Amino acid sequence: RAPKAGGAAPPAASTASATVEATPLPVHPLLNVAPAVDLGYKKLFDADIASLLKLQESTPVWHKQRMFRPERAKAIALYKAKRGQVNPVSLPGIVTLVEETDGKMYVLDGQHRLGALRVLHEKGLAAADEKVMVEVFYPRAPSSKPSTMGDDAEGASDMDGDADAANARDIKRFAELLFKEINQAEPLRDVDWPDVSDRLRAVLEETVQTLRGKYPKMFSASARYQSPHVNVDVLKDELFQALFGDSGDGKGAGLDAGTATVDDIIAFVEERNSALAKRKDSTWTKGIAGKGKDKRLKALEKAKANGFFLGVVPGPSWLDAK
């Protein structure tokens, strides 16, 4: 029925409005805080230092993680203290934990950062209620069938067979696969620190690129190269540390960081390479037997074919060849 002229319109039918309130996320029993973000496969926590340090006392480091080095944790703490990055602590990166279905937890990444926080806290330079970002991963099967991206793709999946079997193995190896993924990013090398002069870094870069151009088959794109190869970034850092770094002894080259040229450094490398080339086969395999010896001889064969011996024995031992 139409309203009378000048009269008020009848009230509209009320619509029931339901306000859906998000269910609060439960507080984590060890981190003593609810997750700030829940992504399903992992949760992010804004945990306080006191809870983290208490958790550290009862939570083991993943068994395949590198050894905890107290001196490294102290070095991180000292770096922070010297630069006034304390109270509050400005901590780069994130602490990564894995929590299995039975509630068991372990530290996958960030053990030295936790160690540094403990040092700072004990010295009164990091308050107990300061917050640190923590991520906790939960093992689960991947959502899609594994693929290889090609035979020579670095980081390609080594999973094969049907998807169910591969997923089961992924869950079992969850921490290992996640650890590998985290460490795909390589740490900053000494030669790449900002306090190394642009000039010296450029000279070293040109040096290794010149060597790669001369011995292209002996350089690997991966820093996890196999004998008899070398990698440009690793070689550049080895040269920097040995010839110009604070811990290096110069290897008798007498080169100065401010005046050394590409030719100077290449002459040093070629002198070492020539010395290695003159070694008898028996010296390369001394103390090695079985498959290890066969592998070394195969590497030596390729080195001889290409006239480049720096990578036959993995590591920087070539620097001392005479």
Side-chain angles (χ1 to χ4, degrees):
R1 203 171 46 164
K4 294 180 180 179
S14 62
T15 301
S17 59
T19 303
V20 178
E21 295 185 0
T23 303
L25 296 172
V27 172
H28 194 282
L30 296 179
L31 294 172
N32 297 314
V33 66
V37 179
D38 185 349
L39 298 177
Y41 68 97
K42 76 173 180 180
K43 296 176 183 177
L44 301 177
F45 295 85
D46 195 17
D48 61 62
I49 288 178
S51 297
L52 266 181
L53 296 185
K54 186 175 181 180
L55 177 145
Q56 184 191 29
E57 294 172 356
S58 58
T59 303
V61 173
W62 181 54
H63 68 286
K64 290 187 179 180
Q65 173 64 282
R66 57 188 169 184
M67 292 287 293
F68 176 75
R69 307 289 187 192
E71 62 274 15
R72 187 178 177 204
K74 290 179 182 178
I76 295 172
L78 181 61
Y79 181 91
K80 290 292 181 186
K82 281 187 174 180
R83 284 154 184 78
Q85 298 173 355
V86 293
N87 286 329
V89 176
S90 58
L91 190 69
I94 197 167
V95 175
T96 302
L97 308 174
V98 170
E99 182 172 346
E100 296 183 339
T101 53
D102 60 1
K104 179 182 178 181
M105 298 182 72
Y106 39 88
V107 180
L108 192 69
D109 191 56
Q111 58 172 330
H112 290 98
R113 272 165 276 160
L114 285 175
L117 285 175
R118 181 173 296 280
V119 173
L120 292 171
H121 178 63
E122 290 174 351
K123 292 184 177 296
L125 298 176
D129 59 355
E130 281 189 36
K131 303 295 185 181
V132 175
M133 186 60 69
V134 178
E135 61 179 354
V136 180
F137 279 86
Y138 299 85
R140 69 187 185 105
S143 57
S144 60
K145 185 176 180 178
S147 61
T148 61
M149 297 170 55
D151 292 339
D152 58 350
E154 289 187 26
S157 174
D158 59 356
M159 313 305 291
D160 52 18
D162 62 68
D164 289 340
N167 288 353
R169 280 180 284 167
D170 266 348
I171 293 175
K172 187 175 182 180
R173 297 176 53 215
F174 181 85
E176 178 184 345
L177 295 172
L178 181 57
F179 181 78
K180 288 180 178 178
E181 182 178 347
I182 290 172
N183 287 279
Q184 286 296 318
E186 297 171 4
L188 195 64
R189 303 183 189 282
D190 287 3
V191 70
D192 295 320
W193 281 94
D195 54 355
V196 177
S197 73
D198 291 341
R199 179 200 171 279
L200 179 58
R201 191 180 293 113
V203 166
L204 288 166
E205 178 64 18
E206 185 178 347
T207 297
V208 294
Q209 294 298 345
T210 299
L211 289 167
R212 182 163 70 170
K214 185 176 180 180
Y215 306 103
K217 294 183 179 180
M218 305 306 291
F219 279 77
S220 169
S222 173
R224 299 177 179 88
Y225 54 90
Q226 298 292 319
S227 171
H229 305 94
V230 296
N231 168 268
V232 288
D233 293 317
V234 175
L235 180 59
K236 182 169 67 173
D237 195 52
E238 287 176 350
L239 287 168
F240 168 75
Q241 291 191 48
L243 301 177
F244 310 107
D246 293 338
S247 59
D249 58 9
K251 300 300 177 184
L255 299 181
D256 181 83
T259 60
T261 66
V262 173
D263 289 341
D264 291 333
I265 303 174
I266 287 181
F268 168 83
V269 173
E270 293 289 12
E271 181 184 5
R272 266 40 182 190
N273 190 48
S274 295
L276 292 169
K278 296 174 184 177
R279 286 184 177 178
K280 295 180 179 180
D281 288 6
S282 58
T283 64
W284 290 103
T285 57
K286 186 177 181 180
I288 305 175
K291 292 183 178 179
K293 183 176 181 179
D294 293 340
K295 186 176 181 180
R296 176 64 56 81
L297 288 173
K298 186 176 180 180
L300 184 59
E301 182 180 346
K302 183 172 183 178
K304 288 179 178 180
N306 290 274
F308 191 79
F309 298 80
L310 272 58
V312 175
V313 177
S317 62
W318 66 268
L319 289 158
D320 296 312
K322 294 180 181 179

